[in-house]
Amino acid sequence: DLQIYSADPSVQAILAQRSWTGSLIPDPAIPTLSLTYANVAFGKSSELMHSIDNISIGAPVNGMSLVHLEVTLDHTGSPKDDPFYEGFQRWWIDVNLPNGSTFIDSDHDTVTNPDEPNGGSYEVPLASGTEASLSIDFWMPANSELLIRRQAGLTPTQVTVTQTTCTATQKASTLNTDLLVKLGATCPYVSPK
């Protein structure tokens, strides 16, 4: 994975046009959910953070579905090893909800951010060998599809999408690429975008 930034706006525009900036830009044709992670603690332990996203989508009510997003962060480093490579992490998480969504609540306070996305920005500290979670509830327009964007350079996330209208066991998908989730009266079907 490669992400490029230039302070020159004209060069940055060319990079964005070629999708080389790593930006998780929503697809205007498909409702898009994306989480952007950044470890703002000093050190090189970022590769030791593994995340699991559980997304539960309720039945449509007046054209909207209630969604519960549960993110689990797992710091797989050891507190006994070199803290520079396996030490403390402080994750900044930006949550971009699908267009037309309405944020309800989170179990974490949002962090002040002038560019705050519609799902909020959050700070989650993570000591070596520990887990932490972030929960967000929101209303999303009822649709037949949901695009889940993959962040380049992040350890692949495990994603499970469930619908209250589905009784079958859901399998986790690995977010190696953007995932397109087909929603409807039957169980969600996940495929690479």
Side-chain angles (χ1 to χ4, degrees), residues 36-117:
T36 306
Y37 298 89
N39 181 11
V40 294
F42 180 72
K44 292 191 172 282
S45 64
S46 296
E47 290 185 3
L48 299 175
M49 191 277 281
H50 298 269
S51 58
I52 299 170
D53 296 348
N54 287 299
I55 304 165
S56 176
I57 303 173
V61 176
N62 296 326
M64 300 292 280
S65 295
L66 180 61
V67 180
H68 178 75
L69 169 64
E70 180 82 23
V71 178
T72 302
L73 306 177
D74 182 13
H75 186 337
T76 62
S78 169
K80 298 177 183 177
D81 291 328
D82 187 334
F84 185 73
Y85 294 99
E86 300 205 20
F88 177 77
Q89 300 174 355
R90 184 177 306 279
W91 286 92
W92 180 282
I93 305 171
D94 280 344
V95 180
N96 289 281
L97 305 177
N99 287 339
S101 294
T102 303
F103 174 84
I104 299 171
D105 197 15
S106 172
D107 64 349
H108 282 63
D109 291 333
T110 59
V111 179
T112 302
N113 174 5
D115 298 320
E116 182 172 299

Side-chain angles (χ1 to χ4, degrees), residues 57-60 143-145 161-170 181-190:
I57 303 173
N143 292 290
S144 60
E145 296 179 323
V161 179
T162 58
Q163 289 181 188
T164 57
T165 55
C166 174
T167 57
T169 302
Q170 303 295 301
V181 182
K182 301 283 189 179
L183 304 170
T186 58
C187 299
Y189 171 74
V190 179

Side-chain angles (χ1 to χ4, degrees), residues 4 30 46 109 118 133 140 144 152 159 187:
I4 305 172
I30 304 171
S46 296
D109 291 333
N118 61 353
S133 64
M140 176 181 81
S144 60
V159 177
C187 299

Side-chain angles (χ1 to χ4, degrees), residues 13 17 24-25 28 34 41 50 52 75 77 91 93 98 113 134-135 146 150 153 173 177 188:
Q17 181 182 26
L24 299 177
I25 300 167
S34 64
H50 298 269
I52 299 170
H75 186 337
W91 286 92
I93 305 171
N113 174 5
L134 168 67
S135 294
L146 174 65
R150 177 191 180 265
S173 298
T177 184

